[in-house]
């Protein structure tokens, strides 16, 4: 019997109703390239494999690899990549078809993992993830509230965010201390706003939210002066949580201009 490891964020799903809802939300079809992150003991893996016949999985915990291979026998072709997903190159799996990525994610690495995935969004069709409920709320948040921040802006620039349903702690063994939620992320084929230099948005947004209580005039000083902020159509006296995605893209485009000078 495998003992769940805290350092790998192991909370195994056992609620058959939740597993069925996730698989129904993904709606896997034969021929699709589906990749599961952190298959663990196979709770979602086997129903996905039954539906699509072939599945790639990325799992870090060495002790789970053989049991996974054993339990997949007779269900289809399971390609197990024993790897740290934070360093995993999803592009290496994408052929002509874009990838559909699924996972009940290890919550301790969810933010860096989401950033790692959006860097590869061009090879991803969609993503269905179980995450801590607060993380889903932050991803979906609009300007004006405490949930809105760097994660909201960066995810929404790259993806359409659809929170799907909540999951109670008792659906897992061991039960996590937090509520969970399932979210669908669909990378935009054409982002709603256009960045002149894709490298500028992340540092701009990180700097803007580094001190939430301060005005953009103060926080963005190392990157943009007040005139540049105004040229983006943004009030330099505004706080970072009041600026919408269009405003951040305009600020990033001003940063790209200054870097060209
Ligand atoms: N999918 C299973 C389920 O729903 O029961 C397990 C989910 S558990 C929350 C997270 C899984 O991710 C575990 O199997 C864990 O070993 C794996 N994991 C943790 N960190 C990882 C990493 N850096 N790379 C790949 N897998 C990781």
């Amino acid at each position: 019997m495998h003992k769940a490891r805290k350092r790998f964020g192991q909370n195994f799903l056992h609620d058959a109703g939740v597993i069925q809802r996730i698989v129904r939300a993904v709606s896997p079809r034969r021929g699709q390239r589906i990749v599961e992150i952190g298959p663990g003991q196979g709770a979602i893996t086997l129903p996905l494999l039954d539906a699509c016949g072939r599945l790639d999985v990325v799992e870090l915990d060495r002790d789970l690899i053989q049991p996974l291979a054993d339990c997949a026998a007779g269900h289809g072709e399971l390609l197990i990549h024993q790897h740290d997903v934070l360093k995993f190159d999803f592009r290496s799996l994408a052929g002509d078809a874009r990838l559909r990525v699924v996972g009940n994610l290890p919550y301790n690495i969810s933010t860096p993992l989401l950033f790692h995935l959006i860097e590869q969004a061009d090879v991803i069709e969609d993503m269905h993830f179980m995450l801590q409920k607060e993380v889903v709320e932050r991803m979906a948040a609009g300007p004006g509230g405490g949930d809105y921040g760097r994660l909201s802006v960066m995810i929404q620039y790259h993806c359409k965010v659809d929170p799907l349903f909540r999951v109670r702690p008792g659906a897992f063994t061991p039960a996590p201390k937090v509520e969970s939620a399932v979210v669908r992320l669909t990378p935009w084929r054409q982002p709603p706003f256009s960045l002149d230099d894709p490298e500028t948005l992340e540092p701009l947004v990180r700097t803007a939210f580094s001190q939430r209580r301060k005005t953009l005039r103060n926080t963005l000083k190392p990157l943009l002066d007040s005139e540049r902020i105004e040229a983006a159509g943004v009030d330099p006296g505004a706080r970072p949580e009041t600026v919408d995605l269009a405003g951040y893209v305009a600020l990033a485009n001003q940063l790209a201009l200054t870097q060209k000078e």
Side-chain angles (χ1 to χ4, degrees), residues 2 5 7-14 36-45 58-61 64 83-86 103-109 172:
H2 179 82
R5 293 191 165 113
R7 73 192 152 96
F8 289 149
Q10 290 179 349
N11 299 94
F12 298 115
L13 251 182
H14 62 73
E36 189 194 357
I37 298 172
Q41 296 176 317
I44 325 175
T45 318
V58 185
E59 173 59 62
L60 182 60
D61 188 347
L64 291 172
H83 215 282
D84 179 354
V85 69
L86 289 175
N104 169 15
L105 299 185
Y107 295 173
N108 50 344
I109 58 163
F172 307 84

Side-chain angles (χ1 to χ4, degrees), residues 223-234 236 250-251 253-259 261:
L223 301 178
L224 294 175
D225 60 24
S226 290
E227 275 168 29
R228 292 281 189 185
I229 298 174
E230 272 172 16
V234 174
L251 288 167
N253 286 342
Q254 286 298 320
L255 179 58
L257 273 179
T258 64
Q259 288 175 345
E261 286 168 3

Side-chain angles (χ1 to χ4, degrees), residues 154-209:
M154 293 307 297
I155 294 285
Q156 290 168 32
Y157 174 74
H158 288 94
C159 304
K160 178 168 175 283
V161 181
D162 294 305
L164 299 181
F165 54 91
R166 287 185 182 193
V167 179
R168 65 193 170 85
F172 307 84
T173 312
K177 290 198 178 70
V178 293
E179 293 264 330
S180 303
V182 175
V183 65
R184 176 185 296 132
L185 303 174
T186 313
W188 304 111
R189 292 284 166 103
Q190 192 67 47
F193 305 100
S194 150
L195 273 177
D196 297 338
D197 173 358
E199 302 298 315
T200 51
L201 187 64
E202 203 280 327
L204 186 285
V205 173
R206 183 160 25 89
T207 309
F209 282 101

Side-chain angles (χ1 to χ4, degrees), residues 205-224:
V205 173
R206 183 160 25 89
T207 309
F209 282 101
S210 60
Q211 299 179 75
R212 293 182 74 98
R213 304 247 152 255
K214 291 204 173 166
T215 62
L216 292 175
R217 181 186 293 111
N218 279 315
T219 342
L220 289 182
K221 210 173 259 168
L223 301 178
L224 294 175

